[in-house]
């Protein structure tokens, strides 16, 4: 592989999506940790996912919480597209 960290990152994302575990503590951070040395598109998408997750956590109990949680799903979908565009097979 040209970019094993990118592949591992995309597979971690796919697993989180499949298991519907993005909002579980540590899941997004695990994806971000793996993305540390990935190519820029994947690493940048992971950073956007992390920001959406932080925003969702900060909105806990607030009126905007549902929208913030939906933004995490949207960031994950965007990242999945980045993975696909980068040629990473997300099946593990």
């Amino acid at each position: 592989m040209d970019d094993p960290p990118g592949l591992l990152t995309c597979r971690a994302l796919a697993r989180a999506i499949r298991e519907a575990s993005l909002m579980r503590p540590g899941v997004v951070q695990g994806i971000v940790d793996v993305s540390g040395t990935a190519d820029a598109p994947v690493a940048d998408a992971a950073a956007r996912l992390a920001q959406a997750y932080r925003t969702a956590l900060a909105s806990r109990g607030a009126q905007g919480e549902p929208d913030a949680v939906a933004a995490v799903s949207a960031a994950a979908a965007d990242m999945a597209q980045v993975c696909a565009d980068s040629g990473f097979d997300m099946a593990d």
Side-chain angles (χ1 to χ4, degrees):
M1 285 289 134
D2 292 339
D3 186 10
L7 177 63
L8 295 174
T9 302
C10 291
R11 286 187 175 170
L13 173 70
R15 189 170 32 261
I17 291 171
R18 187 174 54 252
E19 295 173 358
S21 63
L22 284 167
M23 292 304 298
R24 289 186 192 149
V27 172
V28 168
Q29 188 59 52
I31 293 167
V32 171
D33 289 348
V34 175
S35 75
T37 57
D39 283 348
V42 172
D44 292 348
R48 290 189 297 273
L49 176 63
Q51 180 57 49
Y53 179 75
R54 285 191 297 274
T55 300
L57 287 182
S59 73
R60 187 173 216 160
Q63 184 177 352
E65 182 180 10
D67 290 337
V69 171
V72 174
S73 293
D78 175 64
M79 186 173 172
Q81 186 60 54
V82 168
C83 288
D85 292 346
S86 297
F88 292 121
D89 176 10
M90 293 175 44
D92 58 353

